[in-house]
Amino acid sequence: MTGPDVDGPGGDLPAGLDEAVLRDRVHHVRDRIAELTDRPVRIVAVTKTHPSSVVDLALRAGLVDLAENYAQELRAKAGDLGGAASTQRPRWHFVGRLQTNKVRMIAPFVWCWESVDRESVAAEIARRSPGGRVLVQVDLAGVAGRGGCDAADAPALVERCRALGLDVVGLMGVGAPGGPEAARPGFVRLVELADDLGLEERSIGMSGDYEVAVEVGATSVRLGSALFGPRATVPRPGW
Ligand SMILES: *Cc1c(COP(=O)(O)O)cnc(C)c1O
């Protein structure tokens, strides 16, 4: 059994994945979205745990918005692109728990900070990436380790981010576990909160619950396994 190779561009593509397969999956997702809404919905492709060859493949398949949830992994993959054949540059989204001391390392690469859930992180982003584009992450289910501020604290954090000069474009949330219907109430609350705050972007929905998220008002869905297949569950190589 081999673990994920996130160290460089040499890693093999996951079994069964090639450009045609990926294009098919992207078409399928776009078709489903179009059946559910007339609004444009951004597909953010989550490449975490996959090798840099998957990043290349995603770009060739026309995906532009890519996401990672570990700072080191994002930096490694963004760095690898220097040697890649693709001329297309991804817009990197950071979607993981953000440690203040990692912000500086990835600031040159990140296009959208989706997981801002506390003032210390916001302040560091403002320092390393003045005017940076951010989403405030709201905890929708008390899911341990997933991050996010309490919904009640979100308005004040949005204000604080703005005071720091950050460009707050929306809210992000991870659906409650237990399937799409378990996630729905939290998604609805996030959309209402975004409405109240006058925020346009609602980054909700992952592979298992993106259809419900789109139904209730997602403007952005974050998809990993629906595009790239299952991830290896072995631990990452030690960073
Ligand atoms: C891994 C991850 C995703 C994608 O998960 P899938 O279920 O594979 O689509 C989306 N959002 C965040 C924050 C993640 O960590």
Side-chain angles (χ1 to χ4, degrees), residues 61-72:
L63 294 161
V64 177
D65 291 278
L66 306 185
E68 287 288 335
N69 71 337
Y70 277 85
Q72 289 92 329

Side-chain angles (χ1 to χ4, degrees), residues 138-141 151 171 184-194 216:
V138 178
D139 177 11
L140 299 182
L171 302 179
R184 186 188 294 267
F187 290 163
V188 169
R189 269 186 285 126
L190 183 139
V191 169
E192 287 171 357
L193 186 55
V216 307

Side-chain angles (χ1 to χ4, degrees), residues 46 48 69 95 146 172 174 206-208 222-225 231:
V46 184
K48 67 186 185 192
N69 71 337
V95 299
R146 290 296 202 154
M172 182 275 237
V174 174
M206 309 183 0
S207 295
R222 308 178 307 272
L223 304 180
S225 49
R231 286 181 292 276

Side-chain angles (χ1 to χ4, degrees), residues 25-222:
R25 290 177 180 167
V26 173
H27 278 145
H28 172 76
V29 169
R30 289 201 204 285
D31 283 352
R32 277 304 289 144
I33 291 172
E35 282 165 17
L36 295 165
T37 183
D38 294 333
R39 280 175 290 110
V41 176
R42 185 196 306 275
I43 295 175
V44 176
V46 184
T47 51
K48 67 186 185 192
T49 77
H50 293 301
S52 292
S53 52
V54 166
V55 170
D56 238 17
L57 190 73
L59 294 173
R60 277 188 275 127
L63 294 161
V64 177
D65 291 278
L66 306 185
E68 287 288 335
N69 71 337
Y70 277 85
Q72 289 92 329
E73 201 172 333
L74 189 152
R75 189 181 63 170
K77 288 176 189 172
D80 282 345
L81 285 177
S86 55
T87 51
Q88 178 74 58
R89 292 265 139 195
R91 290 193 292 238
W92 285 109
H93 297 240
F94 190 79
V95 299
R97 296 304 304 273
L98 197 45
Q99 288 170 270
T100 306
N101 64 357
K102 299 285 166 55
V103 167
R104 179 184 183 189
M105 176 174 80
I106 56 172
F109 308 111
V110 173
W111 181 75
C112 182
W113 306 84
E114 294 211 10
S115 46
V116 176
D117 63 358
R118 57 196 193 279
E119 180 172 348
S120 58
V121 161
E124 184 65 6
I125 294 171
R127 202 152 95 90
R128 304 297 178 185
S129 190
R133 179 185 182 90
V134 304
L135 306 183
V136 165
Q137 182 179 353
V138 178
D139 177 11
L140 299 182
V143 185
R146 290 296 202 154
C149 67
D150 280 355
D153 298 332
L157 184 55
V158 167
E159 269 317 300
R160 191 64 203 125
C161 288
R162 291 202 168 124
L164 288 161
L166 294 169
D167 184 17
V168 187
V169 294
L171 302 179
M172 182 275 237
V174 174
E181 290 311 319
R184 186 188 294 267
F187 290 163
V188 169
R189 269 186 285 126
L190 183 139
V191 169
E192 287 171 357
L193 186 55
D195 281 345
D196 288 349
L197 295 170
L199 295 169
E200 301 234 322
E201 293 275 343
R202 301 92 198 266
S203 172
I204 45 175
M206 309 183 0
S207 295
D209 52 25
Y210 79 90
E211 287 159 303
V212 163
V214 169
E215 264 174 39
V216 307
T219 60
S220 187
V221 293
R222 308 178 307 272

